[in-house]
Amino acid sequence: MHRDITRRDFLNGVALTVGAAIVPSPLFGVFDETGNPEQSPDYYPPAKTGLRGSHVGSFEVAHSVRDGTFWSHAGTPVDTGEHYDLVIVGGGISGLAAAHYFLKAAGSKARILILENHDDFGGHCKRNEFRPGGRLLLGYGGTYSIESPRPYSAVAKALITELGIDVPSYHKYLSQDWYRSRDLRSKVFFDKETFGTDKLVINPVPLGVNATDDLETVPADAWKEFLAQAPLSEQGKRDYQRLHKETKDYLPGLSSDEKKARLARLSYTKFLTDTVGVNDEVVRLYQVLPHSWFGVGIDAVPAQDAWLLGYPGFKGMNLAPGPGPGANYDSMWTKEAEDYFFHFPDGNASIARLLVRRLIPEAIPGSSVTDVVTSKANYAKLDEDSSPVKIRLNSTVVRVKHQGDPASAKEVEVAYSRRGKTYTVRATHCILACWHVVIPFICEELPEKQQDALASAAKVPLLYTAVSIKNWSAFEKLKVGSVYAPGSYHSTLELDLPISIGGYHCAEKPDDSIIVHMMRVPCRPGRPARAQHALGRMELFQTTFETMERNIRDQLGRTLGAGGFDPARDITAITANRWPHGYAYEYNSLWDKFWLEGGELPCEVARKPFGRIAIANADAGAYAYTDCAIDQAWRAVGEITKS
Ligand SMILES: Cc1cc2nc3c(=O)[nH]c(=O)nc-3n(C[C@H](O)[C@H](O)[C@H](O)COP(=O)(O)OP(=O)(O)OC[C@H]3O[C@@H](n4cnc5c(N)ncnc54)[C@H](O)[C@@H]3O)c2cc1C
């Protein structure tokens, strides 16, 4: 564990963090002082490894605006003299889609500037690239796929189609037999700190990904193997089986609606312990099951949602199909929604790249939805004088203000910080497609009620780690494709999906290099969901890459060691995409009374247009999916173009 990983480039991980700490001000510490970094032929963010996602240099300015320290040392802003028809704050899917819709409404000559604080466009749609031994490996650093619990709206579907993505053709690109033919199974890793011993055991019901209560689909040998090998006490095993098999109505005498109402106000943990009465080992086993949906464990997830997601314990409850009041969006999967799925090797970063290609064709060479996968973005083209649409990276917006009375003003002034200097541009309209929690700090003229609603949309923190490994022979030897790890640093790890598209080819042989994707949700069980998110956010900002790396090496070594995996030898690079501001916050019946009781939602108050300013982002729909980011962009553009 103490050996160096000699092949990896530490520059973007440990060294950058250290570098940022020794410059005089963290606000100005991340660029050299000459030229525009994006113009350099070496400027290529997708290939950076180490601590990515909200990388060093992306958030310091925004935090100093929040803390009230920015303007005291910002100096007088430099007026660039630039005027745009539209300035968009935030270069995620919502900002890029807003630019696309605005061009359609206002004509292709409309002048648009997109300001983005990160060094890459796409927001949560983040592309990670590795080149072990010269071979290109693509991974997703954030948004995984086109998928949504609710069917895509006509608007969002139309955009996906217009970009050339034929969703039903997905199966053409997926090597469907890849896992099955190699018998790579889903397994549970029991760790010694939580369960007394380290053990990798078959997962009889796919916990963690698509949980299922349907035991008919569970192979008998898997069930037997799990019960024989799982390091659970006899009582724990009995409770585990009872939870899955018992057909008891735990809330007798109540109607289905009454039961749903009760379950909506009860955490799944309480349901398991107080209603079903299983022992603590079963609770520990299930604790992190909803991480990928809710960003919290079962202590903060309503039992009604657990039932809707197919978690065990509800077989005999006689609940009528369909959600009752207060169900979370994530629990409302429909067949239509499930079938609308498409995964690019870099996740929805391909959607961001297809949108950028529409806006600034020279920036993403090529012409098809398949060639976009391997096309190398030319970052120097993003912000060219001659282009009507510009994307200015590494630029944090610090103030948005109407020039005069918002009711009658003809222009909005937007100030942004870039490389230690503050600049202003003016625009006829502005769309705030950035995170809602940022908006009250940069747009102080908004009404107080709206500012409060915006501030309540604090996002869900997540860590998405992509680990490039030399080969996957340990996975093959252990017959494992994905691991659910209830007590480990990352709660899931899985081999990359076998997708070959355009000139990109997935790993084939066990000695081919491949990416392992891992997810950590830094929540703090036992507290209200928002408090858990706040603490997790702090953890992600404060954890060094070195600590993450040690945890990753430790986890992969312990999980796969029996298959011959040696972290120091087999890991070629790590990209830890930290998202302190990750998923849009979705309402939850345990913590958001209004969600159960009805009335105007905070997101409806937050997204109201104000003078020449409209508000987009997935936060505006309180729904953490790409289709929401698109729908909200479409609405925001509609608001400014009809005025
Ligand atoms: C880890 C992760 C995995 C996900 N997986 C999926 C998935 O599989 N499928 C799916 O549909 N959805 C998924 N989502 C949700 C989906 O990514 C989002 O709903 C969508 O991408 C949000 O797009 P957006 O443009 O609204 O916000 P963002 O992508 O967050 O973009 C907003 C941008 O505004 C920038 N910004 C903020 N403040 C400022 C400022 N002051 N100045 C300039 N710029 C600023 C931000 O840095 C950011 O880049 C995932 C989200 C995360 C975090």
Side-chain angles (χ1 to χ4, degrees), residues 6-193:
T6 47
R7 296 157 302 282
R8 203 178 50 261
D9 167 15
F10 275 85
L11 261 184
N12 302 301
V14 181
L16 238 190
T17 313
V18 173
I22 55 172
V23 292
S25 161
L27 303 188
F28 311 134
V30 287
F31 298 124
D32 63 15
E33 288 302 315
T34 55
N36 292 323
E38 301 87 348
Q39 297 299 320
S40 159
D42 297 333
Y43 186 89
Y44 195 63
K48 289 188 169 185
T49 55
L51 206 44
R52 296 291 295 157
S54 281
H55 56 81
V56 170
S58 65
F59 56 85
E60 294 83 348
V61 167
H63 285 182
S64 74
V65 174
R66 174 200 65 192
D67 298 340
T69 55
F70 175 78
W71 288 104
S72 58
H73 59 257
T76 310
V78 178
D79 182 358
T80 62
E82 291 168 277
H83 184 278
Y84 294 90
D85 297 302
L86 174 64
V87 167
I88 297 172
V89 182
I93 291 290
S94 209
L96 298 170
H100 172 79
Y101 290 130
F102 188 78
L103 281 183
K104 289 189 128 193
S108 59
K109 295 219 163 52
R111 286 173 49 80
I112 302 175
L113 174 67
I114 300 175
L115 293 163
E116 166 60 46
N117 59 322
H118 285 89
D119 61 10
D120 205 349
F121 56 81
H124 292 143
C125 297
K126 179 78 86 189
R127 179 178 169 103
N128 290 162
E129 288 189 16
F130 303 95
R131 284 197 181 267
R135 177 165 164 253
L136 175 65
L137 290 183
L138 291 176
Y140 54 93
T143 314
Y144 172 64
S145 56
I146 295 175
E147 61 171 316
S148 190
R150 296 186 301 177
Y152 266 48
S153 68
V155 165
K157 257 190 181 162
L159 180 62
I160 296 297
T161 306
E162 196 180 340
L163 292 176
I165 304 170
D166 177 23
V167 172
S169 74
Y170 170 62
H171 295 284
K172 245 176 35 192
Y173 306 113
L174 174 70
S175 302
Q176 304 205 39
D177 262 352
W178 204 90
Y179 282 90
R180 218 174 313 142
S181 62
R182 293 164 171 100
D183 199 23
L184 299 184
R185 310 271 203 97
S186 174
K187 299 209 173 183
V188 182
F189 180 71
F190 291 89
D191 64 294
K192 68 171 178 294
E193 293 85 345

Side-chain angles (χ1 to χ4, degrees), residues 339-420:
D339 288 346
Y340 198 73
F341 181 92
F342 197 103
H343 174 79
F344 286 98
D346 62 358
N348 286 4
S350 278
I351 300 185
R353 286 153 56 85
L354 286 165
L355 278 165
V356 171
R357 182 186 268 173
R358 287 281 166 130
L359 300 170
I360 310 168
E362 310 78 48
I364 313 281
S367 58
S368 76
V369 77
T370 50
D371 71 18
V372 80
V373 173
T374 47
S375 172
K376 186 160 186 217
N378 184 348
Y379 286 84
K381 296 286 177 192
L382 291 177
D383 189 7
E384 287 215 313
D385 281 345
S386 55
S387 172
V389 181
K390 298 176 190 178
I391 300 175
R392 196 160 293 164
L393 300 172
N394 302 303
S395 302
T396 305
V397 171
V398 292
R399 190 177 61 209
V400 176
K401 200 171 181 321
H402 284 91
Q403 298 288 85
D405 180 356
S408 54
K410 296 272 178 282
E411 280 183 337
V412 179
E413 185 192 74
V414 178
Y416 65 93
S417 170
R418 179 177 157 80
R419 308 185 65 230

Side-chain angles (χ1 to χ4, degrees), residues 423-490:
Y423 302 89
T424 58
V425 296
R426 278 189 292 280
T428 310
H429 297 286
C430 179
I431 290 183
L432 303 176
C434 55
W435 303 331
H436 280 197
V437 285
V438 173
I439 295 175
F441 297 105
I442 62 173
C443 191
E444 292 182 345
E445 60 188 17
L446 290 172
E448 205 178 313
K449 185 178 169 204
Q450 186 167 6
Q451 295 209 14
D452 289 347
L454 288 157
S456 73
K459 288 182 183 269
V460 176
L462 300 155
L463 178 66
Y464 267 35
T465 303
V467 183
S468 161
I469 59 170
K470 268 187 165 171
N471 61 68
W472 48 279
S473 55
F475 285 82
E476 214 213 8
K477 280 192 194 115
L478 296 170
K479 297 287 169 215
V480 60
S482 66
V483 178
Y484 168 78
S488 302
Y489 189 71
H490 288 84

